[in-house]
Amino acid sequence: MAKMLELFGLGLIAIMTLAFVGAFQPQVENGLSPVFWACAGGALMIIFYRKWKRKQEEEKN
C-alpha cells in the first residue's frame, strides 16, 4: 500500500509540474490552474494520510 501511494503521489507531482509549465495548454491555462491545485492537494493528502498511519502504528506498539 505504501509503495502504491508513493507512485500515485509521484504521478500527481508530475502532472502538477506539467500543468504549471503549460504542457496541457490547449485544455488548461498555464500557471496556478485548478489542475495544479488539485494535484497539490492530492499529494498533500497522501502525506497527511501516511503520517497519520505511522502515528497509529507507533501508538499500537
Side-chain angles (χ1 to χ4, degrees):
M1 176 82 169
K3 290 293 180 186
M4 187 174 71
L5 282 175
E6 287 179 12
L7 290 175
F8 188 67
L10 285 174
L12 285 174
I13 290 171
I15 293 170
M16 181 176 65
T17 303
L18 291 173
F20 185 76
V21 298
F24 304 123
Q25 193 168 12
Q27 293 87 8
V28 178
E29 69 273 2
N30 298 2
L32 302 177
S33 67
V35 173
F36 173 84
W37 289 112
C39 290
L44 191 60
M45 292 308 296
I46 289 172
I47 291 169
F48 285 144
Y49 176 76
R50 298 234 7 231
K51 185 177 179 181
W52 178 63
K53 279 296 199 183
R54 274 194 209 126
K55 190 174 182 179
Q56 278 187 340
E57 287 178 10
E58 286 177 1
E59 289 175 359
K60 185 189 284 187
N61 291 332

